[in-house]
Amino acid sequence: MAALPGETTMLYRIAALDERGRIAEQSVVNALGWSPGERLQFGLISNTAIAVQPDAGGMFTLARRSHIPLPVTARRWCGLRTGDRVLLAAAPDHGVLVVYTMGALDAMVAGFHASACGGEASPTSLGPSRDTNRPRSSIMCPFCGAVSRRG
């Protein structure tokens, strides 16, 4: 698990939705301390993120095999379909799971590179570099084009 400075310990996994809109990722369920039959509440954070937490009044339950059921309304809102991969970000200290779409992950990575490289993120420009004048001992950031030296 990764630690966030001054906040909480996190566990990250990438998983796919099955044909019933469920996510099977036992390590996340175990880290959160959830058990089969536990009632869950879902909250839409945005059209790329869904929060999940235990709630005695929740309308959905953790399946017998600990599969996390994503409600159809949440899947539609986020544009998720069977086989789509999602980033699971579990905060065991708080008992909360956030399910991110790959679009959210793309935006996070692009934002990181924009900040780290000092350039503007442009994930749509991903692809092989055509800069043949660039020294072989350097690496070009595919998001902003910044060049760094290998070392």
Side-chain angles (χ1 to χ4, degrees), residues 22-23 27-29 43 58-61 63-64 76 78 86-87 100 102 106-107 117 121 125 134 149:
R22 299 173 306 182
I23 300 167
S27 63
V28 167
V29 172
M59 293 180 58
F60 298 89
T61 58
R64 180 176 48 90
R76 285 183 183 155
C78 293
V86 292
L87 169 65
Y100 292 100
M102 286 295 105
D106 288 343
C117 299
S125 67
R134 185 170 42 89
R149 307 276 297 153

Side-chain angles (χ1 to χ4, degrees), residues 131-140 147-151:
D131 184 0
T132 56
N133 296 324
R134 185 170 42 89
R136 288 187 153 287
S137 62
S138 64
I139 300 173
M140 185 175 86
V147 177
S148 63
R149 307 276 297 153
R150 290 184 188 175

Side-chain angles (χ1 to χ4, degrees), residues 7 12 19 41-42 49 62 79 84 86 88 96 112-113 116-117 128 131 138:
E7 290 186 26
Y12 300 100
E19 67 282 349
Q41 177 178 342
F42 294 80
L62 191 62
D84 283 353
V86 292
L88 305 175
V96 175
F112 169 81
H113 281 275
C117 299
D131 184 0
S138 64

Side-chain angles (χ1 to χ4, degrees), residues 38-58:
E38 185 142 18
R39 299 196 78 49
L40 302 172
Q41 177 178 342
F42 294 80
L44 295 171
I45 297 172
S46 71
N47 66 344
T48 61
I50 304 163
V52 187
Q53 62 187 32
D55 184 329

